[in-house]
Amino acid sequence: MILTVTANAAIDKRYVVERYGVGNVNRVKSCAANAGGKGINVARVASIAGEKMTATGFLGGHAGKFISERVEARGIKSDFVWCEGESRTCINIWDEVNQQQTEFLEPGFSVTKEDCDRLVEKFTSILPECRVVTISGSAPKGAGSDLYKRMIHAAREAGKPVILDTSGQLLEDCLLERPTMIKPNIDEIRALTGKPMNSREGLMRAARDLHDDGIEIVAISLGGEGSLVSCQEGVYDVKVPKIEAVNTVGCGDSMIAGFAVGMSRGLSMEDTIRLASAVSAANAMRMETGFFVKEDMEALLPQIQIKKIR
């Protein structure tokens, strides 16, 4: 089983409009709502890939019940800590005419120390049942970096690989606990290093430096330009085929899911990278966030180009 943590879960609502305008009345052509939050996206994608999944984190209120029901409907075990307050809603507006995406992300409710203690206790109790852990997204107000650091520490003490996908000061603070894997994008790696990082060579050096500092796998995602991965087996330059992307939201979460699936199945690093890259690209080919079709993924697998640099 793979365990995912979504500490700041949400209802994700996607509006499709024509010519979205600030200050105007915008009529919505279509609307879809789903359980969201980066870790829930990871759980959904890994479940489609055939893995047994458990999702945990914080939920609250009627929105929390909606999220839990949607998670269970996907065949994922919902094992969240319930808190006072209402789980947030995040809105994604897609302008069909201008091909532009606008997002409104609510901050979510605040949690207490007791809430955090309950989540760490639940997380630790589930660890013996799982093969891989992913911790994704922002921490809610009141948690700080200590919540993630405690969970990373518990996972490593239990001998479970833990993939961390977050950003900013939270990511920087959590590096001290040496998660097994991180997946920064270009902006995040620039923030971590304090350098502009304008070339693939510079990004490769940054990934290698983070690996040498104790992070076993560093995957720098480059969107349509592929990724760079530094790990014990070497440094890999990964290229993905050009596709007709219809929704790139959730591609990073899908990549995390692919890595988690590869680790859970004991695949080689190159096969894991290939799977994660194909799943991520397949996500972009479908309108639903954190979703892919196996036929798309299987068609993309042989087109992923992986070059070992060193």
Side-chain angles (χ1 to χ4, degrees):
M1 181 262 287
I2 297 171
L3 172 63
T4 67
V5 177
T6 312
N8 212 0
I11 295 175
D12 279 348
K13 297 193 75 172
R14 180 175 173 85
Y15 295 154
V16 177
V17 302
E18 292 181 349
R19 293 189 176 90
Y20 167 69
V22 177
N24 297 340
V25 173
N26 294 275
R27 300 201 178 275
V28 177
K29 287 183 64 178
S30 64
C31 174
N34 207 346
K38 294 175 71 62
I40 290 175
N41 291 341
V42 172
R44 187 163 50 241
V45 171
S47 178
I48 295 169
E51 293 299 305
K52 183 180 178 182
M53 304 299 301
T54 295
T56 192
F58 295 120
L59 290 179
H62 295 289
K65 291 179 182 177
F66 174 90
I67 292 167
S68 182
E69 288 169 1
R70 287 299 179 97
V71 166
E72 292 277 359
R74 287 286 188 176
I76 300 162
K77 182 179 180 181
S78 174
D79 197 359
F80 287 81
V81 169
W82 289 85
C83 306
E84 294 293 327
E86 192 78 21
S87 291
R88 62 186 183 144
T89 296
C90 294
I91 296 172
N92 177 291
I93 301 172
W94 174 246
D95 184 336
E96 286 186 322
V97 174
N98 296 309
Q99 298 286 293
Q100 289 181 330
Q101 189 166 264
T102 303
E103 291 185 287
F104 295 88
L105 309 180
E106 293 182 6
F109 56 70
S110 295
V111 295
T112 65
K113 180 183 181 302
E114 289 72 24
D115 293 330
C116 293
D117 289 343
R118 286 193 294 138
L119 179 55
V120 173
E121 181 179 354
K122 181 180 288 289
F123 175 85
T124 304
S125 71
I126 300 171
L127 282 176
E129 306 170 31
C130 76
R131 292 181 179 173
V132 182
V133 174
T134 73
I135 303 173
S136 304
S138 59
K141 292 179 291 185
S145 62
D146 186 59
L147 173 64
Y148 283 10
K149 289 164 70 176
R150 290 170 67 190
M151 288 191 288
I152 294 168
H153 181 79
R156 294 193 67 88
E157 285 287 301
K160 309 294 182 178
V162 54
I163 304 173
L164 175 68
D165 185 21
T166 189
S167 59
Q169 190 62 49
L170 183 56
L171 172 59
E172 190 171 343
D173 290 347
C174 289
L175 292 182
L176 299 173
E177 288 294 337
R178 300 294 184 265
T180 308
M181 175 182 166
I182 61 172
K183 188 200 65 63
N185 59 29
I186 294 179
D187 291 337
E188 290 160 357
I189 201 72
R190 285 170 177 165
L192 277 176
T193 62
K195 298 177 182 178
M197 297 294 168
N198 293 321
S199 68
R200 287 181 92 93
E201 291 75 16
L203 291 166
M204 285 180 195
R205 285 195 298 273
R208 192 68 191 177
D209 288 345
L210 284 166
H211 170 74
D212 291 342
D213 284 342
I215 309 300
E216 293 179 32
I217 305 169
V218 180
I220 301 177
S221 57
L222 306 174
E225 299 301 315
S227 62
L228 300 166
V229 181
S230 180
C231 54
Q232 185 177 354
E233 292 81 357
V235 179
Y236 298 92
D237 189 349
V238 185
K239 301 286 181 63
V240 296
K242 298 296 181 184
I243 60 170
E244 191 68 35
V246 297
N247 179 20
T248 59
V249 179
C251 287
D253 303 328
S254 297
M255 177 175 276
I256 292 292
F259 271 100
V261 170
M263 290 180 185
S264 179
R265 295 177 181 174
L267 301 183
S268 70
M269 181 51 63
E270 288 200 21
D271 285 346
T272 297
I273 293 170
R274 190 178 305 279
L275 174 65
S277 301
V279 169
S280 177
N283 176 99
M285 297 171 67
R286 300 288 168 169
M287 189 62 72
E288 185 176 343
T289 298
F291 174 82
F292 77 100
V293 174
K294 286 187 177 181
E295 289 78 8
D296 293 339
M297 181 268 288
E298 289 166 356
L300 288 163
L301 274 172
Q303 301 181 62
I304 306 298
Q305 300 176 28
I306 303 176
K307 181 180 180 181
K308 189 173 183 178
I309 304 302
R310 53 177 290 185

